[in-house]
Amino acid sequence: MSASYEVKESVAVITMNNPPVNGLGHATRSGIFDGLKKALADSAVKAVLITGAGKAFSGGADIKEFNTPKTFAEPNLHSVIAAIEAADKPVVAAVHSVAMGGGLELALGCHYRVAAPGAQIALPEVKLGLLPGAGGTQRLPRVVGVETALNMIVTGNPTPSEKLAGTKLFDRMIEGDLMAGAIAFAGEIAEKRPLPKVRDIRINFPNREAFFKVARDTVGAAAKHFPAPLKCVDCVEAAVTMTFEEGMKVERDNFLALVQTTESKALRHYFFGERAAAKIPDVPGETPKRPIKSAAVIGAGTMGGGIAMNFANAGIPVMVLEVNQEALDKGLATVRKNYENSLKKGRLTQEKFDQRVGLIRGTLSYDDIKNADIVIEAVFEEMGIKEKVFRKLDEVMKPGAILASNTSTLDINRIAGFTKRPQDVIGTHFFSPANVMRLLEIVRGAKTGKDVLTTTMSLAKKIKKIGVVSGVCDGFIGNRMIEQYGRQAGFLLEEGCLPEQVDRAMENFGFAMGPFRMGDLAGNDVGWYIRKRRYAERPDVIYSKTADLLCERGRFGQKTGAGWYDYKPGDRKPYPSQLVNDMIINHSREIGVERREISDPEIVERLVYALVNEAAYILAEGIAQRASDVDIIYLTGYGFPMHRGGPMFYADTVGLPHVVTAMEKYAGGRHGKFWKPAPLLVKLAAEGKTFNE
Ligand code: T1G
């Protein structure tokens, strides 16, 4: 059973014990239910105490059980909570560390609740595209008030228990030994009657019409593609306007509807995918990690400065090395400016500002970085320069230092070959702006040591990045896929689209930015540089020339005041460019392509399936460990819409046979070779399987 039972001083203590977070899976629910029955039948027991073993009271319902029969298998969570509430002896919840979702709802069903300070209290279901489905929307407003409850439910964010100490949620805060305090409390209230039930608390909320109208407008504006937040408002309003039972029905109906939505499945996919990404099959969890107490960054440019900030933000001192004082001063000044902006916007306290700025120092001498535990090079993306840097690092860095490269496409194995310690070399591909984007592609070289790999993965978590392991290939995972996406976007221009149509179609699909706006932001010259290399290396690979024509006109994007779009000084808004559009139309004529009307659905299919197909090759080559890793990369590094779950999840949702059929259709058009379906995609489609099995 995932709950233990013992009687102490006539108090029956039921301890949930389902590591790691006491998820309320069927076994745990049964353990609580049976323990309660036993306690109620034992005349020596005067009160019941429910608590959680380990690092949580309870992290809520077991999300892994959703959309399986186990979720509602009796005793389901409703039955457990109903049994607690109906008990004829007082049931006390002793909350510590984490009480979230169904875990908090379980506590709300108890007659009393005591808590240790510092516990994270939350109903985070909305972050999974759901809403509290075991009475949370009806009980929480009754104990903390409607406004606080609505805010907690609609944001899903945790509140420290001590902040809720003055509410009816907690009858007592217990410092020190929670169990001793809780048992003493239980003894004090054992004979008290009637037993208080949250459901009996009446809500008096006079200005509800106005309040809920504002709530709906605010929540609706932010919810965009997600139905759950507005449903949360409906349920909390029901708590105010209806009887408890009627409100519970509103909650249940909405929960059952939401748990079936693709949006919720996508968010749950993301939740588990983010955690799965940290697992490296051939690197056991107990592999020893190297201590990372200090860091160094080579290069104080945009990337180097951003990377350094990640370390400072995590409290790790970092030394930034540049080739000359001017570049160093410029880079450090940019870093300071970033922190000053955060300070001005109230996102940073003065204390944190001082601490972080103090943790970043600069130098021109390799001698000052030789004792760093990790050094990350963020110099110009040219192998010759990388070689010079890594030969120098090999010479000066202490034994055991991790030598990392922030390269976005170059061969980590070649870079490792510039050193006598290839086992210490790894790729840490940050995404710009490096201090903001959560994605970190961790590129594993053929000789990268397992301890270096696991150390870097745990460092990713420490600096609040989502680390995803990639093998070595040109462009790793994300950029190799975006290359095909960009090729297809170019072909669409030649065949009849203009940049604003393609961008609009992709932004309506949910991308943060379409390919051409993205190019103007990142700099069209970046792709130009890479294509020139590709033309030499892979003359068989066809690209549209439109992007080259654009760059030959110096239209690199926002940084040159003009790109695919025109820009006005000080205004980042893209304006369709007649010059560029005429250039595209003339180019179609020059290459003898008759332009045609292309629908938005065709644009979306061709761009998204270009990603999916390349990812299928990447998976088959073992460059990516699993399909959900590809989804995590696109959701956190490339603006793929969260409600679609990532390219692989989206393809699974559409149905792989449909993807193959669509690709076969496009293979009949120009550049048909582009649409050769990856064998893995064809195999899975034929077997009726999915990427994310
Ligand atoms: N169900 C299943 N597994 C869970 C889980 C859960 N609720 N919470 C965590 N895990 C797993 C997680 O996948 C990971 O697994 C391990 O536990 C450690 O997690 C009816 C419907 C609790 C704050 O949304 O926010 O209740 O990778 O690395 O950093 O109304 O986990 O080790 O195999 O995150 O210490 C609502 C989700 C559910 C809380 C702990 N509850 N969890 O953080 O550990 S729906 C949530 C968290 C619900 C009811 C509704 C965090 C945490 P693995 P971790 P952590």
mmCIF file of all heavy atoms in Angstrom, residues 373-391:
data_model
loop_
_atom_site.group_PDB
_atom_site.id
_atom_site.type_symbol
_atom_site.label_atom_id
_atom_site.label_comp_id
_atom_site.label_asym_id
_atom_site.label_seq_id
_atom_site.Cartn_x
_atom_site.Cartn_y
_atom_site.Cartn_z
ATOM 1 N N ASP A 373 36.024 25.721 -12.948
ATOM 2 C CA ASP A 373 35.571 24.325 -13.061
ATOM 3 C C ASP A 373 34.987 24.041 -14.438
ATOM 4 O O ASP A 373 34.967 22.915 -14.901
ATOM 5 C CB ASP A 373 34.498 24.048 -11.997
ATOM 6 C CG ASP A 373 35.073 24.173 -10.595
ATOM 7 O OD1 ASP A 373 36.206 23.673 -10.399
ATOM 8 O OD2 ASP A 373 34.439 24.811 -9.736
ATOM 9 N N ILE A 374 34.458 25.104 -15.080
ATOM 10 C CA ILE A 374 33.960 24.956 -16.453
ATOM 11 C C ILE A 374 34.286 26.229 -17.199
ATOM 12 O O ILE A 374 34.237 27.322 -16.624
ATOM 13 C CB ILE A 374 32.439 24.679 -16.494
ATOM 14 C CG1 ILE A 374 31.965 24.448 -17.938
ATOM 15 C CG2 ILE A 374 31.651 25.816 -15.834
ATOM 16 C CD1 ILE A 374 30.528 23.917 -18.048
ATOM 17 N N VAL A 375 34.663 26.080 -18.447
ATOM 18 C CA VAL A 375 34.877 27.262 -19.299
ATOM 19 C C VAL A 375 34.040 27.058 -20.566
ATOM 20 O O VAL A 375 34.003 25.954 -21.132
ATOM 21 C CB VAL A 375 36.376 27.452 -19.632
ATOM 22 C CG1 VAL A 375 36.975 26.214 -20.279
ATOM 23 C CG2 VAL A 375 36.569 28.660 -20.540
ATOM 24 N N ILE A 376 33.309 28.108 -20.922
ATOM 25 C CA ILE A 376 32.457 28.025 -22.120
ATOM 26 C C ILE A 376 32.947 29.042 -23.136
ATOM 27 O O ILE A 376 33.018 30.239 -22.842
ATOM 28 C CB ILE A 376 30.982 28.310 -21.770
ATOM 29 C CG1 ILE A 376 30.475 27.258 -20.774
ATOM 30 C CG2 ILE A 376 30.117 28.287 -23.030
ATOM 31 C CD1 ILE A 376 29.028 27.449 -20.337
ATOM 32 N N GLU A 377 33.296 28.547 -24.304
ATOM 33 C CA GLU A 377 33.763 29.464 -25.344
ATOM 34 C C GLU A 377 32.568 29.926 -26.158
ATOM 35 O O GLU A 377 31.731 29.125 -26.549
ATOM 36 C CB GLU A 377 34.816 28.738 -26.117
ATOM 37 C CG GLU A 377 34.908 28.550 -27.546
ATOM 38 C CD GLU A 377 33.765 28.419 -28.483
ATOM 39 O OE1 GLU A 377 33.278 27.292 -28.623
ATOM 40 O OE2 GLU A 377 33.356 29.441 -29.057
ATOM 41 N N ALA A 378 32.548 31.268 -26.345
ATOM 42 C CA ALA A 378 31.452 31.852 -27.140
ATOM 43 C C ALA A 378 32.068 32.853 -28.114
ATOM 44 O O ALA A 378 31.741 34.040 -28.106
ATOM 45 C CB ALA A 378 30.451 32.541 -26.216
ATOM 46 N N VAL A 379 33.012 32.332 -28.907
ATOM 47 C CA VAL A 379 33.686 33.202 -29.871
ATOM 48 C C VAL A 379 33.055 32.999 -31.249
ATOM 49 O O VAL A 379 32.136 32.213 -31.411
ATOM 50 C CB VAL A 379 35.199 32.907 -29.927
ATOM 51 C CG1 VAL A 379 35.831 33.163 -28.569
ATOM 52 C CG2 VAL A 379 35.451 31.470 -30.383
ATOM 53 N N PHE A 380 33.601 33.697 -32.243
ATOM 54 C CA PHE A 380 32.996 33.689 -33.577
ATOM 55 C C PHE A 380 32.894 32.263 -34.134
ATOM 56 O O PHE A 380 33.752 31.415 -33.865
ATOM 57 C CB PHE A 380 33.837 34.567 -34.510
ATOM 58 C CG PHE A 380 33.191 34.819 -35.841
ATOM 59 C CD1 PHE A 380 32.022 35.560 -35.930
ATOM 60 C CD2 PHE A 380 33.706 34.253 -37.001
ATOM 61 C CE1 PHE A 380 31.395 35.779 -37.156
ATOM 62 C CE2 PHE A 380 33.100 34.448 -38.232
ATOM 63 C CZ PHE A 380 31.934 35.202 -38.322
ATOM 64 N N GLU A 381 31.816 32.004 -34.842
ATOM 65 C CA GLU A 381 31.482 30.652 -35.331
ATOM 66 C C GLU A 381 32.362 30.301 -36.536
ATOM 67 O O GLU A 381 31.909 30.175 -37.674
ATOM 68 C CB GLU A 381 30.001 30.629 -35.698
ATOM 69 C CG GLU A 381 29.454 29.252 -36.024
ATOM 70 C CD GLU A 381 29.217 28.399 -34.790
ATOM 71 O OE1 GLU A 381 29.681 28.765 -33.698
ATOM 72 O OE2 GLU A 381 28.577 27.365 -34.917
ATOM 73 N N GLU A 382 33.646 30.123 -36.263
ATOM 74 C CA GLU A 382 34.561 29.773 -37.353
ATOM 75 C C GLU A 382 35.569 28.795 -36.772
ATOM 76 O O GLU A 382 36.193 29.054 -35.738
ATOM 77 C CB GLU A 382 35.218 31.063 -37.841
ATOM 78 C CG GLU A 382 35.856 30.998 -39.231
ATOM 79 C CD GLU A 382 37.214 30.301 -39.196
ATOM 80 O OE1 GLU A 382 38.030 30.697 -38.344
ATOM 81 O OE2 GLU A 382 37.411 29.339 -39.958
ATOM 82 N N MET A 383 35.724 27.640 -37.416
ATOM 83 C CA MET A 383 36.495 26.545 -36.838
ATOM 84 C C MET A 383 37.936 26.959 -36.517
ATOM 85 O O MET A 383 38.497 26.560 -35.507
ATOM 86 C CB MET A 383 36.470 25.343 -37.785
ATOM 87 C CG MET A 383 36.923 24.051 -37.149
ATOM 88 S SD MET A 383 36.052 23.616 -35.629
ATOM 89 C CE MET A 383 34.862 22.419 -36.235
ATOM 90 N N GLY A 384 38.520 27.783 -37.339
ATOM 91 C CA GLY A 384 39.907 28.202 -37.095
ATOM 92 C C GLY A 384 40.048 28.933 -35.771
ATOM 93 O O GLY A 384 40.986 28.698 -34.999
ATOM 94 N N ILE A 385 39.062 29.757 -35.466
ATOM 95 C CA ILE A 385 39.122 30.513 -34.194
ATOM 96 C C ILE A 385 38.860 29.567 -33.028
ATOM 97 O O ILE A 385 39.505 29.598 -31.983
ATOM 98 C CB ILE A 385 38.108 31.674 -34.217
ATOM 99 C CG1 ILE A 385 38.445 32.617 -35.374
ATOM 100 C CG2 ILE A 385 38.092 32.419 -32.888
ATOM 101 C CD1 ILE A 385 37.460 33.746 -35.570
ATOM 102 N N LYS A 386 37.909 28.653 -33.246
ATOM 103 C CA LYS A 386 37.619 27.669 -32.172
ATOM 104 C C LYS A 386 38.887 26.854 -31.873
ATOM 105 O O LYS A 386 39.219 26.588 -30.732
ATOM 106 C CB LYS A 386 36.520 26.700 -32.593
ATOM 107 C CG LYS A 386 35.210 27.326 -33.054
ATOM 108 C CD LYS A 386 34.372 27.851 -31.942
ATOM 109 C CE LYS A 386 33.002 28.256 -32.455
ATOM 110 N NZ LYS A 386 32.226 29.044 -31.453
ATOM 111 N N GLU A 387 39.613 26.514 -32.937
ATOM 112 C CA GLU A 387 40.823 25.696 -32.757
ATOM 113 C C GLU A 387 41.819 26.443 -31.877
ATOM 114 O O GLU A 387 42.321 25.896 -30.890
ATOM 115 C CB GLU A 387 41.452 25.356 -34.110
ATOM 116 C CG GLU A 387 42.772 24.597 -33.967
ATOM 117 C CD GLU A 387 43.325 24.094 -35.294
ATOM 118 O OE1 GLU A 387 42.672 24.330 -36.347
ATOM 119 O OE2 GLU A 387 44.378 23.435 -35.272
ATOM 120 N N LYS A 388 42.042 27.721 -32.209
ATOM 121 C CA LYS A 388 43.011 28.504 -31.411
ATOM 122 C C LYS A 388 42.603 28.530 -29.943
ATOM 123 O O LYS A 388 43.403 28.253 -29.045
ATOM 124 C CB LYS A 388 43.047 29.963 -31.942
ATOM 125 C CG LYS A 388 44.213 30.226 -32.903
ATOM 126 C CD LYS A 388 44.205 31.649 -33.450
ATOM 127 C CE LYS A 388 44.403 32.696 -32.358
ATOM 128 N NZ LYS A 388 44.156 34.069 -32.887
ATOM 129 N N VAL A 389 41.337 28.784 -29.709
ATOM 130 C CA VAL A 389 40.846 28.897 -28.319
ATOM 131 C C VAL A 389 40.997 27.567 -27.594
ATOM 132 O O VAL A 389 41.515 27.509 -26.472
ATOM 133 C CB VAL A 389 39.376 29.368 -28.306
ATOM 134 C CG1 VAL A 389 38.767 29.207 -26.924
ATOM 135 C CG2 VAL A 389 39.266 30.813 -28.797
ATOM 136 N N PHE A 390 40.616 26.484 -28.230
ATOM 137 C CA PHE A 390 40.645 25.208 -27.511
ATOM 138 C C PHE A 390 42.066 24.686 -27.289
ATOM 139 O O PHE A 390 42.350 24.034 -26.289
ATOM 140 C CB PHE A 390 39.740 24.175 -28.196
ATOM 141 C CG PHE A 390 38.334 24.246 -27.691
ATOM 142 C CD1 PHE A 390 37.455 25.184 -28.200
ATOM 143 C CD2 PHE A 390 37.915 23.448 -26.637
ATOM 144 C CE1 PHE A 390 36.168 25.315 -27.702
ATOM 145 C CE2 PHE A 390 36.634 23.562 -26.126
ATOM 146 C CZ PHE A 390 35.755 24.497 -26.649
ATOM 147 N N ARG A 391 42.958 25.001 -28.204
ATOM 148 C CA ARG A 391 44.349 24.613 -27.957
ATOM 149 C C ARG A 391 44.873 25.377 -26.746
ATOM 150 O O ARG A 391 45.531 24.822 -25.864
ATOM 151 C CB ARG A 391 45.225 24.886 -29.189
ATOM 152 C CG ARG A 391 44.942 23.956 -30.350
ATOM 153 C CD ARG A 391 46.023 23.967 -31.434
ATOM 154 N NE ARG A 391 45.604 23.160 -32.590
ATOM 155 C CZ ARG A 391 45.594 21.815 -32.610
ATOM 156 N NH1 ARG A 391 45.978 21.143 -31.526
ATOM 157 N NH2 ARG A 391 45.174 21.153 -33.679
#
